[in-house]
Amino acid sequence: MWPNVSALGPCFRPTNITMEERRLIASPWFAASFCLVGLASNLLALRVLAGARRGSSHSRSSFLTFLCGLVLTDFMGLLITGAIVVSQHAILFDWHAVDPSCRLCRFMGVVMVFFGLCPLLLGAAMASERYLGITQPFSRPVAASQRRAWTTVGLVWATALALGLLPVLGVGRYTVQYPGSWCFLTLGPEPGDVAFGLLFALLGSFSVGLSFLLNTISVATLCHVYHGQEAAQQRPRDCEVEMMAQLMGIMVVASVCWMPLLVFIAQTVLRNPPAMNSSGQLSRATEKQLLIYLRVATWNQILDPWVYILFRRAVIRRLYPGLSAQSRSLSLQPRLPRRPTIA
């Protein structure tokens, strides 16, 4: 608890911003438009996914299950956080008066951490699934692939939720952030704040790094199979190349959107002298940087569905009609030689 805000809840830090500044920074029209575009994009992706799941192969069905979990996560994240942020921007309510017990702030903090980590963790899970599917195609029971995929999605959601609840249990704190329209983890020097900030940043960075490593190996394996000595018997199928293209796109989007924020959080909580003073204030430059990096990170929820929508075979073939003549119908799995039959 900071000394000059001891009469308020634990989520309030000293802030020095006028109502006029808040009006200039917090545009309800921009926030509402941003959320509507994101929600519409994810709904469109869900509709396309519903059609793609019918008649898909077992390996592709598992991958589409992960994609469905990712799009649902992005949709719900935009819906919940957007409702709070747009409402705050529209009426500029005083958070002290509306939420003196900090329940709404804690809820938003949990939501921000949960929906921030889920896409990164799901990206790593998808990369692991494709790595096993490409490098060890016989190692998994085909019949259980879709059920296992949903189980993995559930475990990812549970992991992200458990991490998001740590400040509620006393490890770290959620506080109202500049310009007073959202709540997030505290970039303070307290041991709990440092531990939680590093855990969030390192887990997110590890997920991105693992995705990069496994996707690189998977792409190299596909290239080796395509150009190897047994290429005539083991051409990658269109859907396998398509899945890797979509997965690489998701990885690039996650890296560009989230890595600046994750690196900034780690640098800030480890800064010496601390970025936050004893009264709980951050410099205005630090607060603005955090807001900018957070806004960049939220683009991940809009761009994810478009990666799937645009990187489909149907779209690519329209852009490059020549590719349809080179389609492959064979699998990565090696063919067994046929035994001669006696008539």
Side-chain angles (χ1 to χ4, degrees):
M1 184 78 67
W2 294 280
N4 56 341
V5 289
S6 56
L8 301 174
C11 63
F12 298 105
R13 297 186 293 107
T15 55
N16 185 21
I17 183 172
T18 65
M19 188 63 68
E20 209 49 47
E21 286 180 286
R22 289 178 64 186
R23 287 195 179 96
L24 290 174
I25 297 171
S27 167
W29 303 112
F30 174 80
S33 301
F34 186 91
C35 289
L36 287 175
V37 170
L39 293 173
S41 300
N42 283 281
L43 282 176
L44 177 61
L46 284 173
R47 180 179 178 182
V48 175
L49 274 169
R53 286 173 64 88
R54 292 192 292 267
S56 60
S57 63
H58 287 289
S59 62
R60 181 158 173 77
S61 177
S62 177
F63 181 78
L64 291 178
T65 298
F66 281 109
L67 269 178
C68 185
L70 177 63
V71 174
L72 279 174
T73 302
D74 288 338
F75 177 83
M76 293 304 300
L78 281 169
L79 183 64
I80 297 173
T81 58
I84 299 174
V85 173
V86 171
S87 300
Q88 208 285 334
H89 287 354
I91 61 178
L92 292 176
F93 62 75
D94 183 3
W95 208 295
H96 301 79
V98 172
D99 186 33
S101 61
C102 293
R103 291 177 181 174
L104 178 61
C105 185
R106 290 195 188 100
F107 172 75
M108 187 174 187
V110 172
V111 166
M112 293 286 286
V113 169
F114 174 81
F115 289 111
L117 276 179
C118 275
L120 305 180
L121 294 174
L122 283 172
M126 293 165 70
S128 301
E129 189 274 341
R130 279 291 79 214
Y131 168 79
L132 292 175
I134 291 173
T135 61
Q136 303 177 34
F138 294 116
S139 66
R140 301 171 303 161
V142 174
S145 60
Q146 189 173 354
R147 185 172 64 252
R148 181 177 296 180
W150 276 119
T151 302
T152 305
V153 171
L155 288 174
V156 166
W157 287 342
T159 301
L161 180 60
L163 186 72
L165 289 173
L166 285 180
V168 179
L169 301 176
V171 181
R173 291 171 292 181
Y174 290 126
T175 51
V176 179
Q177 306 291 335
Y178 174 87
S181 58
W182 58 295
C183 287
F184 197 49
L185 56 87
T186 304
L187 303 180
E190 295 293 326
D193 297 333
V194 174
F196 184 64
L198 284 178
L199 183 60
F200 178 81
L202 292 178
L203 183 57
S205 300
F206 174 77
S207 300
V208 173
L210 182 63
S211 298
F212 178 82
L213 175 64
L214 296 181
N215 287 337
T216 301
I217 296 174
S218 298
V219 170
T221 303
L222 279 178
C223 293
H224 175 73
V225 169
Y226 192 87
H227 297 289
Q229 294 180 351
E230 298 180 355
Q233 286 78 30
Q234 298 185 44
R235 292 291 190 187
R237 290 179 297 181
D238 280 355
C239 67
E240 288 160 345
V241 177
E242 176 193 43
M243 285 187 285
M244 279 311 306
Q246 292 169 347
L247 196 50
M248 292 296 291
I250 290 171
M251 182 194 70
V252 170
V253 167
S255 302
V256 172
C257 292
W258 274 100
M259 284 309 298
L261 177 62
L262 298 175
V263 172
F264 176 76
I265 290 173
Q267 288 178 337
T268 304
V269 297
L270 292 176
R271 192 179 301 175
N272 191 19
M276 181 177 289
N277 60 29
S278 58
S279 64
Q281 283 186 316
L282 291 168
S283 68
R284 183 54 55 89
T286 301
E287 288 179 329
K288 287 183 176 179
Q289 279 184 288
L290 178 61
L291 180 62
I292 291 171
Y293 291 142
L294 187 279
R295 287 177 172 175
V296 172
T298 54
W299 275 97
N300 186 61
Q301 295 171 313
I302 290 181
L303 296 177
D304 270 345
W306 286 105
V307 169
Y308 170 69
I309 293 170
L310 296 178
F311 284 20
R312 290 176 299 133
R313 281 170 289 172
V315 176
I316 295 175
R317 284 173 178 172
R318 286 182 183 179
L319 296 176
Y320 301 99
L323 292 179
S324 60
Q326 303 173 4
S327 61
R328 309 294 182 189
S329 60
L330 302 179
S331 168
L332 284 173
Q333 299 179 357
R335 289 182 172 180
L336 299 175
R338 286 187 173 183
R339 296 181 177 180
T341 57
I342 301 176

